[in-house]
């Protein structure tokens, strides 16, 4: 797992409260562990917390190769201390030998809004690094006299060496943020049993300035927890479902801590995006197992090389007429859509009034929600909460509209995907589709659009946590190219 070194370095420099001396919890010495013969393969997810509040995530994938391992890290974090904000997101891939020493690497990161790419390899003369930033590329040679290791290997290293209690290791680590070699000291504090009964090895390193970084790993080598400055910043292992739900919600809410990580940039930027009536977008990074949703003027097909070609014409939905059975399915209440609630039904009557034309009924509901609910980054727990607070993100808008529309007898479904944000790129967003005159009509109750502009690219349908979690599978992986825009 990985936190941005520079983000945390700046964080602790900002903290002027004196740092208490480190006092390790007393542990009972265990027999020496045999050296870890093989790293645990698979995916591990982590939540990052500052003062108990979630501020990011990290994901590490370990895969065995013919002559070593591939370590892949995806992470995004935003920390605010004393009014100062530090943000970082990264996607990193390291090829290492059996002893975890580095062979090559590729890194894409965004630090405080500034993107940078690095690629390099270890040679007899040192580490060759190619750095691309601000549209220019420069080469750099980092001279090293011994083996060098990537940060994701730090917690594995003592176990590969045998995890002798009290053992101390000094290794050279590649710092990809500062683009330099940094000496790191790792100490095996001892064996420790967690409150849930899990046996662990407790480590300590000096990765961050002025403070100790305490680490707990299980006997197979999986990191369970990292704690910086006695728990001020914690990185905790979590299950995949919880992690994916957090990422999907953060991406759809466009929270700062994940915005750079989830942003899909296109070159050149789209001009007058809200006026577009047709968009053809070629997208890479969508898993083959992920269904391609159609309808509402959108068609999607896979190309021979695995990319997906989306054609979006919201004003031309005649080619994708709604099914005959759709009416009943998209009128019923669900756990998150209280269609039969008296307050909802009363609000529908006051908004729609005596209007009988289906299209005009939809327009009244869409524009009422857009004007009534203030757009924020926080999602309201239910449409009833949104009615009360008058605040919520795009999910809150879409969920409230879907509930009101169904209560008004208009078959409607909640959808999510990408939308273009002027000056930035494509971001994750939620909106809705209603059946009007037998056709799916895409509407956006956040922006008040009927129909939506052509930059609304659907990826999933449904409002349940499990359905929205599919978004997490593509966040940070999608790359897009505009084929046509008019």
């Amino acid at each position: 797992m990985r936190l941005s070194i520079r983000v945390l370095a700046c964080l602790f420099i900002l903290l002027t409260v004196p740092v208490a001396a480190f006092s390790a919890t007393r542990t009972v010495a265990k027999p020496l562990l045999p050296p870890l013969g093989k790293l645990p393969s698979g995916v591990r997810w982590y939540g990052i917390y500052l003062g108990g509040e979630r501020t990011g995530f990290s994901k590490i994938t370990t895969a065995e190769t013919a002559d070593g391992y591939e370590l892949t890290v995806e992470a995004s974090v935003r920390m605010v201390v004393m009014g100062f904000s530090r943000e970082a997101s990264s996607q990193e891939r390291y090829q290492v030998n059996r002893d975890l020493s580095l062979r090559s690497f590729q890194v894409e990161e965004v630090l405080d809004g500034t993107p940078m790419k690095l690629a390099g390899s270890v040679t007899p003369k040192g580490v060759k690094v190619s750095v691309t930033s601000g549209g220019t590329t420069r080469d750099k040679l980092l001279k090293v006299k011994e083996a060098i290791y990537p940060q994701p290997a730090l917690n594995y290293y003592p176990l590969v060496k045998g995890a002798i209690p009290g053992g101390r290791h000094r290794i050279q680590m590649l710092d990809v943020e500062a683009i330099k070699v940094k000496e790191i000291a790792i100490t095996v504090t001892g064996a420790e049993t967690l409150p849930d009964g899990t046996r662990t090895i407790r480590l300590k390193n000096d990765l961050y300035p002025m403070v100790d970084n305490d680490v707990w790993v299980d006997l197979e080598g999986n990191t369970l927890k990292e704690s910086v400055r006695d728990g001020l910043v914690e990185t905790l292992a979590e299950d995949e479902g919880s992690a994916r739900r957090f990422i999907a919600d953060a991406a759809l809410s466009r929270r700062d801590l994940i915005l750079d990580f989830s942003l899909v940039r296109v070159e050149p930027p789209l001009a007058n995006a809200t006026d577009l009536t047709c968009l053809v977008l070629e997208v890479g990074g969508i898993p083959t197992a992920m269904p391609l949703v159609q309808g509402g003027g959108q068609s999607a097909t896979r190309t021979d090389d695995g990319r997906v070609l989306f054609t979006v014409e919201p004003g031309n939905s005649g080619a994708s007429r709604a099914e005959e059975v759709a009416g009943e399915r998209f009128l019923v209440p669900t756990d998150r859509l209280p269609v039969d609630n008296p307050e909802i039904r009363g609000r529908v009557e006051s908004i729609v009034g005596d209007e009988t034309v289906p299209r005009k009924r939809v327009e009244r509901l869409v524009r009422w929600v857009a004007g009534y609910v203030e757009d924020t980054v926080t999602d309201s727990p239910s449409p009833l909460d949104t009615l009360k607070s008058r605040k919520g993100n795009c999910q809150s808008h879409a969920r409230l509209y879907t509930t009101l529309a169904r209560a008004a007898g208009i078959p409607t479904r909640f959808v999510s995907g990408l939308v273009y944000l002027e000056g930035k790129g494509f971001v994750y967003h939620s909106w809705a589709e209603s059946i009007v005159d037998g056709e799916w009509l895409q509407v956006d109750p956040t922006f008040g659009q009927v129909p939506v502009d052509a930059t609304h690219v659907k990826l999933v349908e449904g409002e349940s946590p499990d359905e929205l979690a599919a978004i997490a599978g593509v966040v940070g992986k999608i790359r897009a190219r505009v084929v046509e825009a008019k």
Side-chain angles (χ1 to χ4, degrees), residues 287-477:
T288 55
M290 185 172 178
L292 301 181
V293 294
Q294 318 277 348
Q298 172 173 303
S299 63
T301 57
R302 293 191 187 275
T303 62
D304 292 340
D305 62 359
R307 296 177 182 271
V308 178
L309 199 64
F310 290 97
T311 301
V312 186
E313 295 180 276
N316 181 26
S317 58
S320 55
R321 297 185 65 82
E323 307 91 336
E324 290 290 334
V325 297
E328 294 184 5
R329 178 184 174 190
F330 296 106
L331 284 172
V332 298
T334 69
D335 291 340
R336 310 189 90 190
L337 305 175
V339 174
D340 51 1
N341 182 275
E343 185 176 356
I344 292 293
R345 294 195 175 277
R347 193 63 64 116
V348 167
E349 292 179 6
S350 67
I351 298 169
V352 175
D354 58 0
E355 182 58 67
T356 59
V357 178
R359 172 72 174 244
K360 291 183 178 179
R361 288 162 63 85
V362 167
E363 290 174 352
R364 285 193 180 187
L365 289 170
V366 169
R367 285 163 187 161
W368 183 85
V369 172
Y372 181 83
V373 181
E374 178 187 348
D375 191 17
T376 66
V377 298
T378 304
D379 185 21
S380 296
S382 81
L384 297 175
D385 293 301
T386 305
L387 281 178
K388 182 178 180 179
S389 68
R390 300 188 62 171
K391 295 181 179 181
N393 61 17
C394 63
Q395 295 178 75
S396 302
H397 285 75
R399 202 176 294 121
L400 176 58
Y401 166 78
T402 301
T403 304
L404 293 170
R406 290 189 181 188
I410 304 167
T412 300
R413 63 188 177 193
F414 181 107
V415 300
S416 300
L418 300 170
V419 69
Y420 192 78
L421 191 63
E422 291 285 353
K424 291 187 177 294
F426 283 92
V427 296
Y428 290 87
H429 186 59
S430 294
W431 61 100
E433 291 183 334
S434 294
I435 295 179
V436 176
D437 298 329
E439 298 175 0
W440 285 114
L441 174 67
Q442 292 201 64
V443 300
D444 192 327
T446 302
F447 301 147
Q449 294 181 338
V450 182
V452 300
D453 64 63
T455 71
H456 288 66
V457 181
K458 285 188 301 177
L459 298 177
V460 299
E461 297 172 349
E463 77 287 346
S464 74
D466 288 341
E467 289 165 325
L468 289 174
I471 290 287
V474 298
V475 171
K477 300 181 184 299

Side-chain angles (χ1 to χ4, degrees), residues 48-50 53-57 76-80 246 257:
I48 301 172
Y49 299 82
L50 172 62
E53 181 178 351
R54 182 150 192 170
T55 188
F57 82 96
S76 185
V77 61
R78 179 175 187 264
M79 296 185 177
V80 180
F246 165 77
L257 65 89

Side-chain angles (χ1 to χ4, degrees), residues 166-334:
R168 185 176 176 84
H169 307 272
R170 285 195 172 276
I171 65 173
Q172 301 295 307
M173 186 199 80
L174 175 65
D175 180 347
V176 294
E177 279 90 7
I179 316 178
K180 69 176 185 180
V181 176
K182 180 178 181 180
E183 185 175 85
I184 301 295
I186 309 171
T187 301
V188 180
T189 304
E192 189 169 310
T193 301
L194 299 182
D196 64 359
T198 303
R199 295 176 59 202
T200 70
I201 301 297
R202 185 170 178 175
L203 312 173
K204 180 174 67 175
N205 64 52
D206 58 357
L207 184 61
Y208 307 117
M210 301 182 289
V211 295
D212 288 313
N213 184 41
D214 292 292
V215 182
W216 289 260
V217 298
D218 64 23
L219 303 188
E220 286 73 45
N222 297 300
T223 299
L224 303 180
K225 174 182 176 180
E226 289 194 10
S227 174
V228 183
R229 193 172 166 182
D230 297 326
L232 176 63
V233 180
E234 290 187 315
T235 304
L236 306 176
E238 63 182 348
D239 65 274
E240 180 178 352
S242 297
R244 287 189 177 277
R245 285 191 291 272
F246 165 77
I247 293 171
D249 180 68
L252 289 169
S253 301
R254 297 197 288 278
R255 296 182 193 169
D256 288 343
L257 65 89
I258 203 171
L259 182 57
D260 281 331
F261 183 79
S262 62
L263 187 65
V264 181
R265 294 177 173 83
V266 290
E267 292 294 340
L270 289 175
N272 302 317
T274 57
D275 296 330
L276 294 178
T277 58
C278 176
L279 176 70
V280 181
L281 193 69
E282 184 183 67
V283 178
I286 295 180
T288 55
M290 185 172 178
L292 301 181
V293 294
Q294 318 277 348
Q298 172 173 303
S299 63
T301 57
R302 293 191 187 275
T303 62
D304 292 340
D305 62 359
R307 296 177 182 271
V308 178
L309 199 64
F310 290 97
T311 301
V312 186
E313 295 180 276
N316 181 26
S317 58
S320 55
R321 297 185 65 82
E323 307 91 336
E324 290 290 334
V325 297
E328 294 184 5
R329 178 184 174 190
F330 296 106
L331 284 172
V332 298
T334 69

